[in-house]
């Protein structure tokens, strides 16, 4: 007898292979170190940490960094990019792309030395994007020749659309350094012309002014001449132009305060009709004085509030965003955005204000506010150039709040707005991973398949292939759980086909393939196809190129082959395979593996061999003794391993199967006494309680109850607490302590309704049974029992067998109270719903068929007592026709009738 089957419902159908993939916790049935499905962290098993996760979090953060940089929040972009670069797994093309984005964020802040240092982390072949940034750094430093050399290596066609304008801008700066004014203005105009958005266009206008402040040349004599022209032409447009040039010259000469004073005087004297000149003066004042505080910040706020040019307002918005990352400055910035957005007259750049405020809300983790602003932009400005930024905000919010299905839908919308390229490819992976995390494995499998056709640099195609296989397997598990075995087997066949068709996916790696094969093998095994699993793994072990497989991978394969042989009923093959594995572990490439890994492999393999010997011992007693001796030696040679601890349970199973119950119980309690902190201690106590129960005496029931109390007291958060309490209720009923049992079931019903929704139904049925048992002494229990039975009988989400049992007990309680008409109606409803409907009849399991037989026998008895012999005969005949249990009893009752009546249709009520 296998004691694993003593736990009910969900516990006995745990998807053990999920734990091997790191997708669920410890299997509720048993944490077996010899069973890779239980996810125990001992080699050679596939542990949770061994699965290469899809870097979806990184994709979300990189998208957020790029969005922040596009909007001008360059310090926030810098922080996100540095976090991503600090991740140890970030390397190769992914690292180089992040380095380029970081250099851009630092350039935006004017931190040229830091930008150059960041660019020094670029490790690949220098691309056009690299030379563009290196050229901008040199140009801003007035290193004209270096800037020209870098620009010469840029191929404009190699640049993404968003960077083509920056190349033209670089050409303009180089021309400016060479005093080629005509070429400078032409290049700047071309940059503005090919800008990908109004925001970028405003950014070029802003940078044009900034370049004059950074790269211009000035002398005291030249400044004096500019001053004289300004004063001579005061009040005229040309005079205002000289005033701006004079302020720039003063700033270049280090006389910032004088420059600010000049601009303030000009703003005070300018008439309101000179709108564009006012815009230019305010923007220049903001650049020179700075957007952090004081007159510069006030000038930019004034420009944002009222300006002739939307480009100027967008430039001011970007400068303010860059200087409003934290503290009071951010609060002031947000307040101004609130004011402008709420104004009665729509602001000229309201869509920009909404997306900037959404970005501020994200920084403050005000996800509701960010989502509201992004939605408002999409609804009010459906054709906005900022649509992708709004969709990015919505995707990021959903991801941060773990609303993964919503994140998948939003990422798919965002992806549809982007042109082909790595950003679009990354979003394809994000869509797939969001579906996966949402538990929508069908859509996840399809999305991973699509992502493989457009793989991003950040993810190996082999990893995407593994995730697709895993999604098919998990979808199969969901279908099995939903009672759709044919569809589930189709999903497993799809997973097999994927692995067979792509034994070495392009760009993949053997580890990804192994992970897929491992999970498929476990799925096949869990669902009764151990032979198929063994066949796949054996073929994999023996295929060409297996010798070149990494040693650790080869060890894991060999171990799984042995385990599957054991579970496929071939213990001698398992012993042979384990011996071969242990022999190779001591020399060659396997012998050079880390000692901790080898120790875990050796101990787990010895345990597997001992179990195989014990199984062989059914026909060879000497083998059984050898297995018992091996278990004892395991505890000595590998005393500190999980396998050694588990050996107590393996030995207890051996004695349990031979009905040596006392020895089995002693071993289990001995484990809990010797290793109270072991992950196996709670299960050992549970097994010991079952052993005590099997002895069948009141004293042993009481002993079992004490063991269960110890389990729930010492391990209150263990997965087994629910099942232990459920068993405790059963024990109390066997001791005729129905009141105490009732309290146990009520506790389970109240406290585990969410975590154990299906298994709680068993507690509810048992609670009804307690009320039924006490109804003779206290009639108030009748109504409680009837109410629970009726509710469970009608509950669509309850398992079919449980509904049939509840239906029998419901009718039985009514019959016992003398309400035979209602009892007959209740039972006939169960027969019509679950037996005469072929689809529902196919769902009946062993327990359901037993209770259906009881219903038909009780119906026949009722009909006989009412002299409705034709209907009684029909009930008994239906039992025989459906081959339900109790056939001999039905035949004896039919034999009592003196005549054979024609079949009469079953009465429906």
């Amino acid at each position: 007898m296998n004691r694993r089957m003593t736990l009910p419902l969900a516990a006995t159908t745990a998807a053990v292979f999920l734990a091997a993939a790191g997708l669920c916790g410890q299997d509720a049935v048993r944490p077996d170190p010899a069973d890779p499905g239980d996810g125990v962290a001992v080699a050679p098993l596939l542990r949770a940490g061994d699965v290469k996760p899809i870097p979806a979090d990184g994709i979300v953060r990189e998208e957020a960094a790029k969005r922040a940089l596009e909007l001008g929040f360059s310090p926030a972009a810098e922080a996100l990019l540095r976090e991503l670069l600090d991740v140890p797994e970030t390397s190769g093309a992914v690292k180089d792309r992040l380095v380029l984005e970081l250099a851009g964020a630092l350039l935006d802040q004017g931190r040229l030395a830091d930008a150059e240092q960041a660019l020094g982390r670029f490790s690949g072949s220098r691309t056009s994007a690299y030379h563009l940034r290196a050229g901008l750094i040199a140009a801003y430093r007035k290193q004209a020749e270096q800037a020209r050399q870098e620009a010469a290596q840029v191929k404009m066609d190699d640049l993404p659309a968003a960077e083509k304008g920056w190349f033209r801008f670089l050409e303009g700066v180089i021309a400016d350094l060479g005093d080629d004014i005509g070429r400078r203005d032409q290049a700047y105009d071309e940059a503005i012309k090919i800008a990908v958005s109004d925001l970028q266009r405003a950014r070029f206008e802003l940078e044009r002014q900034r370049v004059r402040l950074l790269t211009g040349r000035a002398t005291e004599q030249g400044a004096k001449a500019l001053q004289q022209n300004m004063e001579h032409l005061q009040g005229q447009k040309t005079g205002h132009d000289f005033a701006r040039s004079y302020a720039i010259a003063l700033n270049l000469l280090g006389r910032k305060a004088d420059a600010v004073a000049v601009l303030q005087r000009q703003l005070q004297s300018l008439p309101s009709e000179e709108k564009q000149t006012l815009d230019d003066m305010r923007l220049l004042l903001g650049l020179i004085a700075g957007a952090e505080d004081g007159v510069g910040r006030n000038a930019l706020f004034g420009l944002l509030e009222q300006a002739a040019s939307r480009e100027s307002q967008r430039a001011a918005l970007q400068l303010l965003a860059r200087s409003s990352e934290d503290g009071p400055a951010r609060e002031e910035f947000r307040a101004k955005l609130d004011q402008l957005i709420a104004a009665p007259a729509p602001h000229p750049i309201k869509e920009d204000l909404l997306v900037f405020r959404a970005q501020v809300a994200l920084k403050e983790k005000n996800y509701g506010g960010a989502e509201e602003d992004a939605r408002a932009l999409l609804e009010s400005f459906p054709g906005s150039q900022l649509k992708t930024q709004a969709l990015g905000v919505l995707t990021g919010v959903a991801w941060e709040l773990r609303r993964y299905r919503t994140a998948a839908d939003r990422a798919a919308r965002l992806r549809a707005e982007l042109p082909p390229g790595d950003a679009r490819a990354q979003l394809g992976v994000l869509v797939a991973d969001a579906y996966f995390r949402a538990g929508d494995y069908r859509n996840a499998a399809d999305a991973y398949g699509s992502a493989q056709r457009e793989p991003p640099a950040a993810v190996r195609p082999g990893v995407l292939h593994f995730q697709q296989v895993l999604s098919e397997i998990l979808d199969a598990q969901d279908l099995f759980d939903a009672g759709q075995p044919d569809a589930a087997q189709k999903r497993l066949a799809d997973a097999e086909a994927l692995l067979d068709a792509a034994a070495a996916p392009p760009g993949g790696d053997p580890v990804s393939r192994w992970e897929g094969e491992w999970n498929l093998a476990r799925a096949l095994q869990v669902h009764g196809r151990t032979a198929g699993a063994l066949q796949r793994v054996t073929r994999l072990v023996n295929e060409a190129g297996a010798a070149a497989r990494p040693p650790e991978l080869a060890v894991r394969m060999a171990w799984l082959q042995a385990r599957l042989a054991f579970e496929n009923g071939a213990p001698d093959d398992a012993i042979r395979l384990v011996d071969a594995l242990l022999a190779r572990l001591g020399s060659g490439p396997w012998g050079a593996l880390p000692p901790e890994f080898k120790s875990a492999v050796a101990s787990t393999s010895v345990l597997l061999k001992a179990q195989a010997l014990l199984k062989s011992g059914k026909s060879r007693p000497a083998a059984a003794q050898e297995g018992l001796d091996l278990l004892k030696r395991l505890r000595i040679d590998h005393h500190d391993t999980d396998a050694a601890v588990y050996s107590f349970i393996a030995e207890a199973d051996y004695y349990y199967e031979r009905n040596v119950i006392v020895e089995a119980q002693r071993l289990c309690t001995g484990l809990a006494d010797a290793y109270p902190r072991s992950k196996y201690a709670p299960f050992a106590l549970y097994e010991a309680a079952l052993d005590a129960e099997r002895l069948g005496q009141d004293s042993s029931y009481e002993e079992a109850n004490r063991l269960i109390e110890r389990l729930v007291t010492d391990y209150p958060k263990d997965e087994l607490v629910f099942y232990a309490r459920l068993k405790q209720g059963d024990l109390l009923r066997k001791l005729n302590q129905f009141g105490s049992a009732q309290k146990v079931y009520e506790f389970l019903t109240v406290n585990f309704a969410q975590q154990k929704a299906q298994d709680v139904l068993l507690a509810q049925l048992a609670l009804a049974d307690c009320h039924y048992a006490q109804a003779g002494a206290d009639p108030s229990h009748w109504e409680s029992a009837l109410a629970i039975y009726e509710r469970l009988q009608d509950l669509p989400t309850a398992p079919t067998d449980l509904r049939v049992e509840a239906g029998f007990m419901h009718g039985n309680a009514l019959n016992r109270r003398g309400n035979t008409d209602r009892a007959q109606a209740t039972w006939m409803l169960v027969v019509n719903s679950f037996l005469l409907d072929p689809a529902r009849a196919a769902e009946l399991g062993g327990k359901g068929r037993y209770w259906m037989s009881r219903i038909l026998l009780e119906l026949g008895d009722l009909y006989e007592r009412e002299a409705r012999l034709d209907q009684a005969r029909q009930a008994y005949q239906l039992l025989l026709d459906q081959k339900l249990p109790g056939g001999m009893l039905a035949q004896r009752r039919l034999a009592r009738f003196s005549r054979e009546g024609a079949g009469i249709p079953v009465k429906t009520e």
Side-chain angles (χ1 to χ4, degrees):
M1 180 183 296
N2 188 336
R3 292 187 289 174
R4 287 173 183 256
M5 302 311 294
T6 56
L7 297 183
L9 290 180
T12 58
T13 59
V16 293
F17 64 90
L18 296 184
L23 300 175
C24 69
Q26 170 180 307
D27 175 16
V29 178
R30 171 176 296 173
D32 183 349
D35 185 345
D38 292 307
V40 180
V42 292
L45 315 184
L46 182 61
R47 302 175 295 275
D50 291 327
V51 176
K52 279 58 174 185
I54 294 294
D57 288 312
I59 292 173
V60 172
R61 295 191 186 286
E62 185 180 353
E63 196 279 331
K66 288 190 288 189
R67 185 174 65 250
L69 187 56
E70 289 169 1
L71 297 177
F73 292 87
S74 47
E78 177 195 352
L80 286 167
L81 291 166
R82 289 194 185 279
E83 285 180 13
L84 291 169
L85 284 166
D86 286 341
V87 175
E89 290 78 16
T90 302
S91 61
V94 178
K95 188 200 79 171
D96 286 343
R97 185 180 67 240
L98 295 175
V99 162
L100 293 176
E101 291 169 1
L102 176 60
L106 294 167
L107 269 169
D108 191 59
Q109 299 173 66
R111 293 160 55 188
L112 302 181
D114 291 338
E116 184 177 40
Q117 183 180 28
L119 211 54
R121 299 174 64 179
F122 193 93
S123 58
S125 299
R126 295 185 175 181
T127 61
S128 291
Y130 172 91
H131 290 297
L132 172 62
R133 286 158 177 78
L136 285 168
I137 293 171
Y140 282 131
R141 285 177 165 170
K142 305 182 186 180
Q143 298 169 347
E145 183 56 33
Q146 180 65 31
R148 273 192 290 270
Q149 290 178 10
E150 295 291 350
Q153 298 184 72
V154 175
K155 296 179 180 178
M156 192 168 174
D157 290 342
D158 291 344
L159 294 173
E163 295 189 4
K164 293 182 187 295
W166 281 108
F167 177 60
R168 291 302 184 211
F169 188 85
L170 171 59
E171 290 182 324
V173 179
I174 293 171
D176 198 1
L177 291 172
D179 295 323
D180 187 348
I181 306 305
R183 176 59 188 142
R184 178 198 70 184
D185 292 342
Q186 180 186 1
Y188 285 159
D189 289 344
E190 288 179 4
I192 291 171
K193 183 179 179 180
I194 63 175
V196 295
S197 67
D198 290 338
L199 265 179
Q200 191 179 60
R201 193 169 294 111
R203 175 67 184 283
F204 287 143
E205 291 284 7
L206 177 62
E207 283 300 302
R208 190 172 187 170
Q209 296 291 337
R210 185 176 166 213
V211 165
R212 292 184 66 188
L213 295 172
L214 289 173
T215 66
R217 294 180 294 278
T219 63
E220 288 291 347
Q221 184 179 359
K224 185 67 175 176
L226 290 169
Q227 180 185 13
Q228 290 173 350
N229 287 327
M230 174 190 73
E231 293 171 349
H232 179 68
L233 298 170
Q234 188 172 358
Q236 301 180 34
K237 183 180 184 305
T238 307
H240 300 320
D241 292 340
F242 278 119
R244 287 200 304 273
S245 298
Y246 179 45
I248 291 171
L250 290 172
N251 186 67
L252 289 167
L253 292 169
R255 295 165 58 186
K256 177 178 175 179
D258 292 338
V260 169
V262 167
L263 292 170
Q264 285 182 298
R265 284 195 299 270
Q266 289 291 315
L267 285 169
Q268 290 169 1
S269 63
L270 271 170
S272 59
E273 296 80 26
E274 297 286 346
K275 297 183 184 299
Q276 187 58 54
T277 303
L278 281 168
D279 288 357
D280 294 342
M281 289 288 186
R282 283 173 174 165
L283 183 59
L284 185 57
L285 180 56
L287 282 166
I288 292 175
E292 290 78 15
D293 53 29
V295 295
R297 191 172 181 85
N298 290 335
L300 293 171
F301 273 135
L303 186 59
L304 183 59
E305 190 166 353
Q306 188 173 12
S309 164
R310 295 185 180 188
E311 284 73 20
S312 297
Q313 288 183 310
R314 291 188 175 102
L317 188 59
Q318 292 180 60
L319 281 173
L320 287 165
R322 189 185 305 159
S323 303
S324 304
E325 288 282 335
D326 296 298
R330 185 174 69 204
E331 294 175 9
E332 182 187 29
F333 183 49
R334 180 180 3 92
K336 177 57 72 173
L337 292 173
D338 291 344
Q339 174 196 336
L340 296 176
I341 291 170
H347 195 280
I349 60 166
K350 185 175 180 179
E351 57 191 294
D352 300 76
L353 301 179
L354 284 168
V355 79
F356 272 72
R357 189 170 69 173
Q359 190 68 28
V360 172
L362 282 180
K363 176 76 173 179
E364 297 173 338
K365 298 190 183 302
N366 176 13
Y367 298 123
E371 195 165 35
E372 183 178 348
D373 282 339
R375 286 182 183 279
L377 187 150
L378 293 172
E379 292 169 3
S380 302
F381 306 95
S384 173
Q385 295 177 352
L386 298 172
K387 185 176 183 178
T388 56
Q389 281 87 347
L391 288 171
V393 168
L394 291 174
T395 302
V397 167
W399 188 271
E400 291 296 330
L401 297 178
R402 300 185 179 183
R403 290 156 33 194
Y404 293 121
R405 190 179 300 277
T406 301
D409 293 340
R410 291 173 175 177
R413 288 180 61 192
L414 176 56
R415 181 174 180 269
E417 296 292 327
L418 298 180
D422 204 63
R424 175 185 166 91
Q426 285 198 117
L427 285 168
V429 174
L430 181 60
V431 169
D433 199 55
Y435 278 129
F436 188 92
R437 297 189 188 207
D440 185 351
Y441 302 118
R442 178 69 267 132
N443 278 325
D446 294 340
Y448 282 126
S450 297
Q452 289 176 71
R453 294 188 287 274
E454 191 181 358
V459 187
R460 297 192 313 274
V463 174
L464 294 175
H465 181 259
F466 162 68
Q467 288 294 123
Q468 184 183 12
V469 171
L470 185 59
S471 298
E472 294 284 3
I473 293 169
L474 296 178
D475 189 37
Q477 179 60 39
D478 284 347
L479 290 168
F480 276 119
D481 291 343
Q484 302 178 49
D486 292 341
Q489 293 291 356
K490 172 65 168 58
R491 294 288 181 267
L492 291 180
D494 290 343
E496 288 186 87
L498 282 170
L499 286 170
D500 290 340
D509 56 76
V511 174
S512 292
R513 183 188 175 197
W514 156 240
E515 289 166 349
E517 291 285 0
W518 174 282
N519 283 276
L520 177 59
R522 298 305 294 156
L524 294 173
Q525 179 188 22
V526 165
H527 297 295
R529 295 175 57 188
T530 303
L534 176 59
Q535 183 179 13
R536 288 196 68 88
V537 173
T538 300
R539 185 181 68 196
L540 207 59
V541 168
N542 296 328
E543 71 180 11
R549 188 174 292 125
E552 182 173 331
L553 185 57
V555 170
R556 293 175 184 237
M557 291 289 241
W559 184 90
L560 180 57
Q561 184 185 20
R563 177 68 188 182
L564 289 171
F566 171 71
E567 295 187 0
N568 199 43
D572 291 340
D573 288 344
I575 293 168
R576 174 180 54 78
L577 291 168
V578 167
D579 285 341
L581 188 161
L582 291 172
R584 292 187 64 187
L585 203 60
S587 61
W590 290 16
L593 289 166
E596 182 181 356
F597 177 81
K598 288 199 299 180
S599 174
V601 171
S603 61
T604 312
S605 299
V606 169
L607 175 61
L608 176 57
K609 180 179 179 179
Q611 291 175 306
L613 286 165
L614 292 176
K615 182 174 285 190
S616 294
K618 292 181 178 180
S619 57
R620 295 186 293 121
Q625 186 57 51
E626 184 182 352
L628 292 171
D629 293 341
L630 193 56
L631 289 175
K632 293 179 174 61
R633 192 161 67 250
L634 171 62
R635 294 168 203 157
I636 296 172
D637 296 343
H638 302 278
H639 60 88
D640 58 346
T641 64
D642 284 340
V645 178
Y646 189 83
S647 69
F648 285 88
I649 295 176
E651 187 173 354
D653 283 347
Y654 171 78
Y655 286 114
Y656 184 91
E657 291 173 358
R658 282 150 185 78
N659 209 31
V660 188
I661 306 302
V662 173
E663 181 62 14
Q665 182 185 356
R666 184 191 68 79
L667 285 161
C668 288
T669 53
L671 185 158
D673 292 340
Y675 301 98
R677 295 183 180 179
S678 168
K679 63 175 70 72
Y680 310 121
F683 188 82
L685 289 172
Y686 185 82
E687 292 277 70
L690 297 182
D691 292 335
E693 179 190 27
R694 192 179 180 196
L695 294 174
Q697 303 294 322
D698 283 356
S699 59
S700 62
Y701 295 153
E702 291 169 355
E703 171 65 14
N705 190 40
R706 284 193 292 272
L707 288 166
I708 285 176
E709 277 298 329
R710 177 180 169 186
L711 188 162
V712 299
T713 301
D714 292 352
Y715 310 98
K717 296 182 179 181
D718 192 83
E719 180 76 10
L720 283 171
V721 166
F722 174 86
Y723 303 106
R725 286 293 190 197
L726 195 63
K727 175 56 65 177
Q728 185 177 43
D730 296 344
L731 291 167
L732 291 169
R733 284 196 288 169
K734 288 183 177 181
L735 290 167
N736 291 320
Q737 297 178 21
F738 292 102
S740 297
Q742 176 187 331
K743 292 178 182 179
V744 169
Y745 296 132
E746 287 172 341
F747 172 83
L748 294 176
T749 299
V750 171
N751 291 282
F752 290 88
Q754 298 300 320
Q755 306 96 308
K756 303 287 183 184
Q758 287 293 299
D759 290 342
V760 160
L761 299 179
L762 293 177
Q764 293 174 0
L765 183 59
L767 175 60
D769 291 343
C770 285
H771 285 301
Y772 180 86
Q774 297 173 85
D778 182 356
S780 66
H781 287 282
W782 277 118
E783 295 306 321
S784 297
L786 287 170
I788 297 172
Y789 287 140
E790 184 174 13
R791 184 179 66 81
L792 292 176
Q793 176 187 339
D794 295 339
L795 187 63
T797 57
T800 299
D801 283 6
L802 185 141
R803 292 180 68 183
V804 173
E805 181 179 355
F808 171 80
M809 293 302 299
H810 183 203
N812 193 53
L814 290 168
N815 188 35
R816 184 176 166 187
R817 294 193 72 184
N819 197 337
T820 56
D821 288 343
R822 282 190 61 196
Q824 289 176 24
T826 296
W827 283 333
M828 284 308 309
L829 179 62
V830 177
V831 171
N832 287 328
S833 299
F834 299 105
L835 187 63
L836 298 184
D837 180 344
R840 302 304 297 272
E843 298 175 3
L844 288 172
K847 290 186 67 176
R849 291 173 59 80
Y850 165 79
W851 290 110
M852 188 65 74
S853 173
R854 290 283 303 272
I855 287 173
L856 290 172
L857 290 171
E858 291 294 333
L859 269 174
D861 185 63
L862 275 180
Y863 289 144
E864 283 192 65
R865 283 190 273 121
E866 294 176 357
R868 297 159 65 183
L869 301 184
D870 287 339
Q871 284 150 303
R873 180 183 298 106
Q874 179 63 24
Y876 298 141
Q877 189 61 50
L878 183 59
L879 186 152
L880 293 172
D881 291 344
Q882 295 291 330
K883 297 181 173 56
L884 296 174
M888 293 183 64
L889 179 58
Q891 288 176 341
R892 286 199 298 270
R893 290 188 180 183
L894 283 171
R896 292 202 307 264
F897 295 123
S898 59
R899 64 181 178 84
E900 293 289 336
I904 300 173
V906 176
K907 177 184 176 183
T908 58
E909 298 291 333

